[in-house]
Amino acid sequence: MRSIRRLSDLEGKEAMSEKILEVKNLETSFRLEEGVVVAVAGVSFDVYKGKTLGIVGESGCGKSVTSLSIMRLIPNPPGKITGGEILYKGKNLLDFDAAAMRKVRGNEISMIFQEPMTSLNPVFTIGNQIIEAIALHQNLSKKECRNKAIEMLKLVGIPSPETRIDDYPHQLSGGMRQRVMIAMALSCNPQVLIADEPTTALDVTIQAQILELLRELQNRVGMAMILITHDLGVVAEVCDEVVVMYAGKVVEQGSVEEIFKNPKHPYTRGLLNSIPTMKKDPTGKVKKTRLETIPGIVPNMLHLPKGCRFQDRCTFVLDACRQAEPELRVIKGDDRLPHAIRCIRDI
């Protein structure tokens, strides 16, 4: 399997030490009629140049809100970043005014959004939309902007880019539209790329092509990448480090090898155990086994339980788990690449 080869390729790699993005105790809240929902509660992680950080978890765990917070794209009202720091090259993006943030957004930190059909404007050609991004951040003439847009379409594998540049989004397939979104995101040579579920709703062949393209482009330009997904197979394929989120908090983080080979949090184990496997019996026949699931549902964010947020779904729950929320603690590794879990016990 390619994912297994990816894991083995990572072993023994020397970690790059240049930290480009630090998220510290990030808190993002939404004020609703029913009350205040803290969608991201004290999330912290680091992103290093040339490395890929994967953020995984079920729908509603805070992955996309975290990425939109980094981009300062949380709609206000009802949302607001209420705490923490987002340090890009040592400068806190939360201190930037709107004009300063526009210079960073799309130019130094760029984002591929989840659904390309709704992210692309249907009344403008794909060329116009890429050219707009280039013209906004780079001092180029109209002709140079068009040539750069054609170059970017060629880079992401769009055939006949000289003619396809004048196509509208509806004239392209889902995979092609996603490639256009990647071209737009990379058009200004960003230092950090945030990819929010870039392969959602794509078939497995196109998914593999998109992931291979992202990895190839990353190796070529040396950018850092944050990959947001619920697909652990994708994480094993392209990520160097993993952050597992549940109900707005980080419950486990570490290197991709450590998380896959030695998961410690019950939620992480549940996610890994829910992946279909092709186990064989001694005769070589594939065993028919029931697919494992995580019992229960994600808690209501307006009425979170006292103590551990995963307690009602955990098979290892103790009385102490219901008394106080556990802290995120390091169980292995160093300051650069710790393996940390939010659990009171080692399982």
Side-chain angles (χ1 to χ4, degrees), residues 56-113:
V56 301
E58 293 170 279
S59 296
C61 70
K63 304 186 303 295
S64 293
V65 175
T66 299
S67 66
L68 292 173
S69 298
I70 294 172
M71 296 293 289
R72 294 273 305 276
L73 289 174
I74 296 295
N76 184 8
K80 187 178 182 181
I81 299 173
T82 50
E85 295 178 303
I86 303 170
L87 302 177
Y88 172 66
K89 293 183 176 179
K91 296 180 179 179
N92 189 1
L93 297 181
L94 300 183
D95 294 334
F96 285 27
D97 59 22
M101 195 61 210
R102 279 195 296 270
K103 293 180 180 179
V104 173
R105 189 189 300 123
N107 187 34
E108 297 187 59
I109 304 177
S110 197
M111 185 169 177
I112 304 170
F113 293 93

Side-chain angles (χ1 to χ4, degrees), residues 52 103 108 248 265 268 285 318 322 332:
T52 300
K103 293 180 180 179
E108 297 187 59
H265 196 280
T268 309
K285 292 183 178 180
L318 302 171
R322 306 185 188 278
K332 188 179 179 181

Side-chain angles (χ1 to χ4, degrees), residues 129-149:
Q129 296 180 65
I130 299 174
I131 289 169
E132 181 184 18
I134 297 171
L136 182 65
H137 296 292
Q138 300 190 11
N139 187 24
L140 299 176
S141 66
K142 189 174 181 179
K143 183 178 180 181
E144 288 173 328
C145 286
R146 182 177 174 87
N147 289 338
K148 178 71 180 290

